[in-house]
Amino acid sequence: AQKITQTQPGMFVQEKEAVTLDCTYDTSDPSYGLFWYKQPSSGEMIFLIYQGSYDQQNATEGRYSLNFQKARKSANLVISASQLGDSAMYFCAMREEGQGFSFIFGKGTRLLVKP
Amino acid sequence: GAVVSQHPSWVICKSGTSVKIECRSLDFQATTMFWYRQFPKQSLMLMATSNEGSKATYEQGVEKDKFLINHASLTLSTLTVTSAHPEDSSFYICSATPWVAGHNEQFFGPGTRLTVL
């Protein structure tokens, strides 16, 4: 079974609108972290936001927020006020405490922001 | 934020040759570095975990004799693709975790695009 599932291979959003990218995860480890990374066409991986399994509040970083629903094992990324520069691949990743520092990545969602 | 560099950013080589890729943490010490491979339009796949001063831990299906990893210092890990073949053409990305207790984030290098002719 996949540990990180991103069900949307591609998405469109109109500039200035908000968009939600889905991510569900599967783990039996009580301590884990969830990450979102952006990968533009240049290939670099840009860290966006982090949510720890024990965090009580949803993480926010500027226009990015993470809708963390622990019971449903989902960690959706919300981008508000989309910009043309947000067009990229977005990867959800998980780190399990019992697995050290290694990450497991989802298959990614390609977001295209339309002007 | 912490910076990780990779060198070279791209390389083209002939089949049968070996290629070395360097991964450096520029402003922090990293006891653990990771090497990923990414094929076009696919996700990052962890190849191996590189620990300073010890042997790398390879993921299932990754040939350790083909992908040699050396983590010689707290700021440098190298991946050598030996006897490269066209199927080894890929985007190779390293990442590093700072030597700070409880730190969660991995910092990624800009990647190295390898093309084997």
Side-chain angles (χ1 to χ4, degrees):
Chain A
Q2 288 188 3
K3 289 216 167 188
I4 294 286
T5 303
Q6 292 180 255
T7 58
Q8 307 151 314
M11 288 192 71
F12 289 96
V13 65
Q14 201 68 37
E15 190 179 9
K16 299 181 184 178
E17 292 185 350
V19 63
T20 298
L21 306 184
D22 296 341
C23 173
T24 58
Y25 60 92
D26 182 26
T27 181
S28 57
D29 197 323
S31 180
Y32 54 90
L34 298 158
F35 302 77
W36 277 93
Y37 283 86
K38 171 184 177 182
Q39 187 181 41
S41 57
S42 59
E44 61 185 309
M45 295 290 284
I46 302 170
F47 167 75
L48 297 179
I49 198 165
Y50 164 79
Q51 180 85 44
S53 59
Y54 295 118
D55 294 342
Q56 295 296 313
Q57 294 185 325
N58 287 348
T60 59
E61 290 285 349
R63 294 188 298 112
Y64 305 107
S65 60
L66 200 151
N67 185 1
F68 182 46
Q69 298 190 32
K70 194 170 183 177
R72 296 177 60 185
K73 293 189 175 178
S74 74
N76 299 339
L77 176 71
V78 181
I79 305 174
S80 63
S82 298
Q83 302 172 357
L84 296 178
D86 293 334
S87 295
M89 280 290 289
Y90 288 81
F91 291 99
C92 179
M94 176 172 67
R95 169 184 168 262
E96 297 167 289
E97 186 74 24
Q99 300 299 317
F101 292 106
S102 64
F103 278 21
I104 302 168
F105 283 88
K107 292 187 176 182
T109 296
R110 181 168 297 280
L111 177 67
L112 183 60
V113 180
K114 298 188 291 184
Chain B
V3 179
V4 175
S5 70
Q6 274 184 248
H7 179 80
S9 56
W10 60 271
V11 57
I12 302 173
C13 69
K14 292 182 179 180
S15 186
T17 60
S18 294
V19 174
K20 180 186 283 188
I21 303 170
E22 292 185 349
C23 177
R24 293 182 185 272
S25 56
L26 298 186
D27 51 2
F28 66 96
Q29 293 183 330
T31 55
T32 304
M33 290 183 172
F34 302 90
W35 287 96
Y36 296 86
R37 181 165 56 182
Q38 185 180 30
F39 291 108
K41 302 189 184 210
Q42 294 188 24
S43 186
L44 281 73
M45 297 300 296
L46 180 65
M47 297 176 66
T49 302
S50 170
N51 296 297
E52 187 267 336
S54 64
K55 291 183 178 180
T57 303
Y58 291 81
E59 295 299 302
Q60 193 172 9
V62 177
E63 301 175 57
K64 58 183 178 183
D65 294 332
K66 181 169 185 61
F67 298 99
L68 301 179
I69 291 173
N70 185 1
H71 196 151
S73 75
L74 286 172
T75 59
L76 173 64
S77 175
T78 59
L79 168 68
T80 301
V81 183
T82 62
S83 186
H85 290 286
E87 57 265 30
D88 298 324
S89 298
S90 187
F91 191 57
Y92 293 86
I93 307 176
C94 73
S95 70
T97 298
W99 175 237
V100 175
H103 203 286
N104 294 291
E105 187 179 340
Q106 285 189 23
F107 296 95
F108 285 83
T112 296
R113 192 163 302 280
L114 170 64
T115 302
V116 184
L117 302 177

